Amino acid sequence: MKSIISASIFICMTASFSQPLIASEYHFGGFLKANARFVDGNIAYQDSWTGGGSIAEPAKRTQFSAAESRFNVGVTHGGVKGFAEIDFSGSAQGNAAFSNSYSPRLRHAYISYEGLTAGQTWSTMVNTSTFAETADLGVPLAGQTMVRQALVRYSTDNWQFALENPYTYGTQAGSTEAVIKWVDTSNDYIPDAVIRYNQQGDWGNVSVSSLFRYLDPEDSAQFGAGVSVAAKLKTFGKDDIRLQLHYGNLGRYVGTDAARDMINGVIEQTTSAMFAYRHFWTERTRSSVFYGHTITKEEQTDRFHAGVNVFTNLTPVLALGFEVGRYQIDDEHNPYTHAPSPQGGSNYAQLSLQFHI
């Protein structure tokens, strides 16, 4: 739910004060979210499963947090729209010993005008309607697109064309486990290009996206491409299925930290999928079961995240959720030593209370 405030902005269209005033409309929104999270296993604790992680000694940990709380403002002025949003997740400032004073991070800041969008927002590869409803902030990141970055995008009724921020995330040839040489990004000068087709109806929606990239131009200079299909399909009553399928040189666009763009100077190939089914028990109570999985060819990562939850609205703006799940790392061989990689998993339970502003 968003609050709307209309305000008169004294903008003079000509030198004459007799011209009509233009009103700007402000939309304030976001939510407050309180989490209680318990993790048990040999993958080190994370506030949400990001597709990365490391194998450690088995441990149990409980953490309470409000850092996922989010605030945004949208402004409409004639045909121009602007949107900005912050939250506090991932802050390095918070000190659990004393103040928990998390610093804000920028999620979105963009301008839209006549089909053109410029600024930072979701990548054109991302179909947000296919995100599963989860207590874990990341949803099944190990199997889906989840990238926000600066871009320029033009949208029509069904098509979207975008140039997005280039960045080569990976390691150079000659890297070893002891000395990892990250790709020098100072010469990433050709934007990533995305073409997307959307179709929707009473049945739901589906999108097909293609990604084209020029990676590591200073050294190996490799072209990469990939394809992504995402859909939200209505089934019975208010139930729905949410799907994502990804293949190709998608790198950092898929699986978050489960895949890189290149390993040891070789462009990475990723296969990834996400599935979620949401069922409504009543008008106010629903459950989702979800599964996300990413595997890569060069780094030989193999990671999945699965879970089930129940949410109920105590009021129209206050939702209580409980979720249990598992995050698993089944990587095959270390790409630098070729020795078998350590494997393991962690189970988690999370209770969330979310107040939509």
Side-chain angles (χ1 to χ4, degrees), residues 59-71:
K60 298 178 182 180
R61 188 179 183 188
T62 296
Q63 290 284 278
F64 296 164
S65 175
E68 292 178 14
S69 298
R70 187 179 303 174
F71 304 98

Side-chain angles (χ1 to χ4, degrees), residues 124-138:
T124 311
M125 292 287 291
V126 178
N127 182 341
T128 57
S129 73
T130 65
F131 288 178
E133 182 180 23
T134 60
D136 183 292
L137 174 68

Side-chain angles (χ1 to χ4, degrees), residues 126-197:
V126 178
N127 182 341
T128 57
S129 73
T130 65
F131 288 178
E133 182 180 23
T134 60
D136 183 292
L137 174 68
V139 294
L141 285 179
Q144 69 176 34
T145 52
M146 175 70 82
V147 175
R148 290 185 302 271
Q149 61 189 3
L151 54 79
V152 178
R153 176 167 63 220
Y154 179 73
S155 303
T156 65
D157 289 340
N158 296 101
W159 291 92
Q160 293 179 305
F161 305 91
L163 296 177
E164 306 195 4
N165 195 58
Y167 191 90
T168 303
Y169 176 39
T171 58
Q172 301 178 29
S175 293
T176 66
E177 189 173 36
V179 181
I180 293 180
K181 303 175 183 178
W182 293 99
V183 172
D184 181 5
T185 60
S186 60
N187 288 285
D188 282 339
Y189 66 94
I190 296 181
D192 294 352
V194 181
I195 300 174
R196 172 171 158 180
Y197 178 76

Side-chain angles (χ1 to χ4, degrees), residues 8-22:
S8 294
I9 305 300
F10 292 88
I11 298 178
C12 188
M13 301 302 294
T14 67
S16 171
F17 286 95
S18 63
Q19 297 295 324
L21 300 177
I22 300 175

Side-chain angles (χ1 to χ4, degrees), residues 3 13 31 33 47 55 67 83 106 156 208 260 289 292-293 317 335:
S3 300
M13 301 302 294
F31 54 76
K33 187 178 181 186
D47 292 329
I55 305 301
F83 183 83
L106 183 68
T156 65
V208 181
R260 271 147 282 280
V289 57
H293 197 163
V317 296

Side-chain angles (χ1 to χ4, degrees), residues 41-330:
N42 63 353
I43 299 178
Y45 179 95
Q46 296 179 20
D47 292 329
S48 63
W49 302 116
T50 62
S54 58
I55 305 301
E57 291 296 320
K60 298 178 182 180
R61 188 179 183 188
T62 296
Q63 290 284 278
F64 296 164
S65 175
E68 292 178 14
S69 298
R70 187 179 303 174
F71 304 98
N72 58 57
V73 58
V75 183
T76 302
H77 187 86
V80 183
K81 297 181 179 179
F83 183 83
E85 183 173 71
I86 62 170
D87 73 357
F88 308 89
S89 295
S91 169
Q93 179 181 333
N95 185 335
F98 302 108
S99 66
N100 292 276
S101 304
Y102 299 107
S103 56
R105 65 167 184 169
L106 183 68
R107 287 172 52 86
H108 299 274
Y110 63 86
I111 303 164
S112 295
Y113 179 67
E114 294 188 350
L116 183 70
T117 298
Q120 176 170 305
T121 188
W122 292 113
S123 167
T124 311
M125 292 287 291
V126 178
N127 182 341
T128 57
S129 73
T130 65
F131 288 178
E133 182 180 23
T134 60
D136 183 292
L137 174 68
V139 294
L141 285 179
Q144 69 176 34
T145 52
M146 175 70 82
V147 175
R148 290 185 302 271
Q149 61 189 3
L151 54 79
V152 178
R153 176 167 63 220
Y154 179 73
S155 303
T156 65
D157 289 340
N158 296 101
W159 291 92
Q160 293 179 305
F161 305 91
L163 296 177
E164 306 195 4
N165 195 58
Y167 191 90
T168 303
Y169 176 39
T171 58
Q172 301 178 29
S175 293
T176 66
E177 189 173 36
V179 181
I180 293 180
K181 303 175 183 178
W182 293 99
V183 172
D184 181 5
T185 60
S186 60
N187 288 285
D188 282 339
Y189 66 94
I190 296 181
D192 294 352
V194 181
I195 300 174
R196 172 171 158 180
Y197 178 76
N198 304 298
Q199 190 62 257
Q200 62 181 3
D202 294 338
W203 46 270
N205 74 81
V206 63
S207 61
V208 181
S209 306
S210 295
L211 173 67
F212 305 94
R213 313 177 68 192
Y214 185 44
L215 298 169
D216 191 22
E218 177 67 11
D219 192 5
S220 57
Q222 301 181 59
F223 286 95
V227 63
S228 172
V229 178
K232 178 182 177 182
L233 307 174
K234 296 180 182 179
T235 57
F236 307 102
K238 297 176 66 176
D239 292 8
D240 61 71
I241 293 176
R242 306 178 190 205
L243 302 167
Q244 293 188 23
L245 301 172
H246 317 284
Y247 179 77
N249 309 129
L250 297 167
R252 64 185 177 86
Y253 281 82
V254 173
T256 312
D257 204 26
R260 271 147 282 280
D261 296 322
M262 59 176 52
I263 295 295
N264 253 338
V266 179
I267 193 167
E268 185 63 277
Q269 179 176 296
T270 301
T271 303
S272 185
M274 189 280 292
F275 165 87
Y277 188 88
R278 185 170 68 165
H279 172 68
F280 279 78
W281 303 102
T282 69
E283 286 295 314
R284 298 189 306 169
T285 303
R286 65 272 182 199
S287 293
S288 291
V289 57
F290 58 88
Y291 177 83
H293 197 163
T294 286
I295 59 175
T296 63
K297 180 179 178 181
E298 300 301 326
E299 195 172 10
Q300 297 190 29
T301 56
D302 185 341
R303 301 172 184 184
F304 77 81
H305 177 189
V308 62
N309 58 46
V310 59
F311 283 87
T312 188
N313 277 81
L314 305 177
T315 78
V317 296
L318 184 63
L320 178 67
F322 179 71
E323 180 172 299
V324 294
R326 182 171 178 83
Y327 178 60
Q328 183 86 20
I329 293 179
D330 290 324

